[in-house]
Every structure is written in structure tokens, then in C-alpha cells.
Amino acid sequence: MKKERVMASVRGMGSICIVILYLWTIFLAIAARVVPVPSILPNYERPVSSIFDTSKYGILQLNNGLARTPQMGWNSWNFFACNINETVIKETADALISTGLADLGYVYVNIDDCWSAITRNSKGQLVPDPKAFPSGIKALADYVHGKGLKLGIYSDAGIFTCEVRPGSLYHENDDAMLFASWGVDYLKYDNCFNLGIKPEERYPPMRDALNATGHSVFYSICEWGVDDPALWAGKVGNSWRTTDDINDAWASMTTIADLNDKWAAYAGPGGWNDPDMLEVGNGGMTYQEYRSHFSIWALMKAPLLIGCDVRNMTAETLEIISNKEVIAVNQDLLGVQGRKVYVAGTDDCLQVWAGPLSGHRLVVACWNRCSKAATITAGWDALGLESCTRVSIRDLWKHKDVAGDVVASFSARVDAHDCEMYIFTPQTLFRYDI
């Protein structure tokens, strides 16, 4: 008799479990419709986390087939400024190959300001500086292309560039055709001497001119975040500067990271928020600070444009910018910008940044902006995870798995001004279509 009562109880519990499972399935089907599927990513996976705002994801991006992931490469300005010439550019292309950086995705070799002569020629065309670039830009592009790399160039949506060389305002069609004839693959378009004309009026003409050439050119808008370009530039360019210029200093880097964080919801495949180029290796920050810089830029899906002299890097610099696992976070095809999700400590100096990745994973960075080492805890509530979610954790700087079954929270001891970076992979997950 007792056995029969037990069996009846078990059958009853089984019926209850079936009902609960049925209701849970219905809930998941309803919840799955909360986050819209962006048309540009047909294989999109709903993030396991509930906190990441993707409401603007995919609706603004310029659809020219470029920038499916953030651009990677090198830019001359942060180290060389105006001290550039064709030898520097060729040797940099060579170094990207010899160091293996090109194989990791650093393919754009971008010439910044000061490449042109100080006046246009008699036909109104831009002319390369005859002393710095005697062979011309076409020959340089051919050299770079011969290495399997891409060449970028610089101009300005004003009458002059920032270093008072000819700008492209009112010369958009002619300059775009010239760049295309040289085989240029990338244009950084600056904001100096703009005659007070609104950026929303000055930047689209170059977009149209580049498209009219029939030559594929990555269009990098550099208007310094003046008119909140995340709100409009996605229809114009492939990336847009959200901040003023970065300096090779901890205060500059952290301030810019915070400014860029505001616009996380607007980035996605085709168009990216740009908090300016990397300073890693230029000497103004410590190893820990540079590692933080690279980690947060990767998590924010920022362009990874090296700004140091890659011909003469230290082993530490190469170690940072060649971290394949951190680069993979930046280049993840889900393309959702990570953001700051938790702060604590004096002046909010203990921080957790996180973002969803493909495969229902999360990238989590514990960033210590305090002056002393500290323990930083990433709680599941801050990460938007269900409290019972169990995850395995991989350390992207130590290149090893550090935990296999973590629930509710994860803590890390982090040195001052350093950043530890992890991949959280849920152990059990309902998979469903949305």
C-alpha cells in the first residue's frame, strides 16, 4: 500500500513537471520575441544575458558590404604625426607581415595627415608631397596590396586638414575619384576648418562620392563626437568617432572609454563607434594600463588600429596587441558592443564591463581603475544572468580555463590599473529560435 502511494505521488509529480516544462516552453517562445532579429545577421543568436540593449542594433548601419567586424590595422598619426614618408609606410607594411600581425587581422595601413602637398595642382587635384612621397600614392598602394594588405588615406570635411593641407570640402567628387584611381581602400575623414557647417551636411557628400566611384572604400568619419554621430552617422559611414583625440595617458584613455560607452546600443555589423586609435606601445602608460586599454577597446567593438611604430616594438607591446583570444572578442560576428555594467569603490574605480558573444557566451572584464590592487566581483544580476545559471570561465590573458562550474558570482583579484578578461560560457542552455 505504501509503495502504491509512493508511485501515485511520483506520477503526480511527473504530471506537474510536464505542466511546468510546457509553461516554460511557452514562456521562452514569448520571451524570444522581445529582442528583434536584425536583418543583417540571419544567424543571430539571442544573448543569454537580458541586459544588453540591442534595440538600435542593425537599423542604422551603412550597407556597403564593409565593416562586418570592426576594422583592424595601423595608423601613422599617434607615433609619427607629420614625420611620414613612403619608406615609413612600406617598412610598416613589411613589419605587419613579419610580426604576424597581418595574419591576425591588422590589414589596413593608414596614412594620416601631412601626406599631401600644401596646395592643389593647376587642375585642382590633391598632390602627394613630392619629398615625402616621390613615387606617388598609386605606387604605394600597389606595394601594400602586393603584401596582401590595404592602404588607407586621410582627408578632411573642411577647406583644410588639421595640419593645414587642402581639405575635401566642395571637392568630394574629384577627390573620391582620385583616391579610387590610386586604389585606396580606406578614408579617414577629419573635421577641421569646417566653416561652421553641421557635420550632418558635410559628411554625406563624401559617402555619395565614394560610392559613385564603384571602388570599395571603408569610410571612417572623424568628427570627434561633436554632433553625437552615433545618432546619424550609421547611414553615412562605416565607423564614427565618438570622442575627441586620444592621448597616450591613463586619464585620457579612461575618459574616452566612458564617453564611448554611452553609445553602445548603436554599434553593429556595418558601422562601429570609434573611441580613437590605440596608444599601446607608445610609452605613456604602463604595461597594465595598456593591457586595460586593449581589453576595453576589444570589448567595446572599437576599431583596433595600432598607433605605435610596429617596426620597433617591445615584446610586451607585441604580446598585448597579438592576443588572439582578445582579438576574437573584438571580431566576434554577433557584433554587439560590450559596456560598463557595474561600478563600486571610490569614484566608481572598481568596474565590471561585459558584452554578449556568439554561442550564447559573455565576455566579462574586471577593470581596476583604483590606485591599489583590489578584488572585483561580477554578480549574475549585474551581468543579466539568471541566478541559477552555471558557467565555465576562461581567462583570456592567462590563456587557460580557470573554472568549470560557477554560479551566482565570480571574483577576481586585479592589480591597480589592470584589467582581467574572461569568457563566460553557460553550461546548460535552452536553445530556441527567435
Side-chain angles (χ1 to χ4, degrees):
M1 190 70 176
K2 182 177 181 180
K3 180 179 179 182
E4 291 176 355
R5 286 198 300 269
V6 170
M7 292 302 294
S9 177
V10 169
R11 285 193 296 271
M13 290 298 293
S15 299
I16 292 172
C17 288
I18 290 171
V19 171
I20 292 173
L21 181 60
Y22 175 73
L23 293 173
W24 179 246
T25 302
I26 293 175
F27 169 77
L28 287 176
I30 294 171
R33 295 185 177 89
V34 173
V35 179
V37 181
S39 60
I40 56 174
L41 270 182
N43 296 322
Y44 176 66
E45 298 176 86
R46 182 177 183 269
V48 66
S49 171
S50 62
I51 64 172
F52 296 99
D53 179 9
T54 56
S55 61
K56 312 297 188 300
Y57 178 94
I59 64 173
L60 294 176
Q61 283 69 33
L62 174 66
N63 188 22
N64 64 358
L66 299 174
R68 310 317 296 169
T69 59
Q71 66 268 38
M72 294 177 62
W74 173 89
N75 181 285
S76 62
W77 184 258
N78 283 358
F79 184 84
F80 292 97
C82 275
N83 298 315
I84 54 173
N85 55 58
E86 61 186 43
T87 300
V88 166
I89 305 305
K90 288 181 178 180
E91 290 179 353
T92 295
D94 295 343
L96 290 174
I97 299 296
S98 64
T99 57
L101 290 171
D103 290 336
L104 297 176
Y106 295 99
V107 296
Y108 285 106
V109 182
N110 294 342
I111 310 169
D112 211 284
D113 205 349
C114 302
W115 65 267
S116 73
I118 60 173
T119 60
R120 292 175 178 268
N121 66 16
S122 60
K123 297 180 181 179
Q125 294 177 319
L126 293 171
V127 179
D129 185 298
K131 292 183 178 179
F133 296 92
S135 302
I137 303 302
K138 176 66 166 64
L140 191 55
D142 290 345
Y143 183 89
V144 170
H145 292 158
K147 299 286 181 178
L149 303 173
K150 299 179 180 182
L151 186 74
I153 209 162
Y154 166 99
S155 191
D156 193 290
I159 57 173
F160 298 110
T161 72
C162 297
E163 295 297 319
V164 202
R165 310 295 172 100
S168 291
L169 185 64
Y170 306 130
H171 293 270
E172 291 89 353
N173 291 328
D174 289 342
D175 291 355
M177 287 298 295
L178 187 64
F179 298 152
S181 72
W182 289 341
V184 166
D185 305 293
Y186 186 110
L187 175 64
K188 176 182 175 181
Y189 205 41
D190 219 334
N191 196 35
C192 289
F193 297 99
N194 55 48
L195 303 182
I197 303 171
K198 290 178 68 65
E200 296 94 321
E201 298 176 22
R202 288 181 290 108
Y203 283 89
M206 182 56 82
R207 170 203 60 193
D208 297 339
L210 292 171
N211 288 342
T213 69
H215 180 68
S216 182
V217 179
F218 190 109
Y219 187 27
S220 172
I221 293 173
C222 183
E223 64 92 268
W224 320 324
V226 173
D227 273 17
D228 297 336
L231 299 178
W232 55 267
K235 297 179 180 178
V236 183
N238 296 116
S239 66
W240 43 88
R241 278 278 296 282
T242 55
T243 70
D244 204 348
D245 290 357
I246 193 171
N247 296 314
D248 186 18
W250 171 255
S252 172
M253 184 270 288
T254 54
T255 298
I256 281 177
D258 292 339
L259 291 171
N260 190 64
D261 182 51
K262 176 181 178 180
W263 305 108
Y266 293 88
W272 307 98
N273 293 316
D274 178 6
D276 206 4
M277 300 166 289
L278 295 168
E279 291 282 7
V280 180
N282 281 330
M285 288 184 262
T286 66
Y287 170 79
Q288 290 77 15
E289 291 168 346
Y290 281 140
R291 196 166 77 158
S292 295
H293 180 17
F294 192 71
S295 297
I296 297 300
W297 259 237
L299 181 146
M300 292 195 299
K301 300 299 187 293
L304 297 183
L305 295 174
I306 301 167
C308 68
D309 184 358
V310 294
R311 305 170 306 170
N312 299 288
M313 289 183 294
T314 65
E316 286 187 343
T317 295
L318 182 58
E319 174 201 341
I320 292 172
I321 63 177
S322 65
N323 187 320
K324 292 181 181 180
E325 296 191 71
V326 176
I327 291 171
V329 167
N330 181 259
Q331 297 291 298
D332 185 77
L333 293 178
L334 185 61
V336 177
Q337 179 175 323
R339 63 180 179 85
K340 188 190 306 182
V341 299
Y342 175 79
V343 295
T346 304
D347 296 325
D348 295 336
C349 62
L350 300 176
Q351 302 187 352
V352 177
W353 293 58
L357 300 173
S358 59
H360 300 282
R361 300 168 300 150
L362 285 177
V363 57
V364 178
C366 296
W367 192 10
N368 183 1
R369 288 161 59 162
C370 304
S371 58
K372 296 181 180 179
T375 297
I376 299 176
T377 298
W380 273 209
D381 54 343
L383 298 176
L385 296 174
E386 294 292 333
S387 59
C388 60
T389 301
R390 296 183 178 276
V391 302
S392 62
I393 299 176
R394 181 169 179 80
D395 189 314
L396 302 190
W397 285 108
K398 293 183 176 67
H399 303 293
K400 67 178 184 180
D401 298 329
V402 295
D405 189 21
V406 181
V407 65
S409 67
F410 175 76
S411 297
R413 188 70 176 174
V414 186
D415 289 338
H417 290 196
D418 205 352
C419 182
E420 300 293 345
M421 196 171 189
Y422 307 94
I423 296 291
F424 284 23
T425 303
Q427 295 304 287
T428 303
L429 200 72
F430 286 98
R431 299 187 66 85
Y432 50 91
D433 295 326
I434 59 176

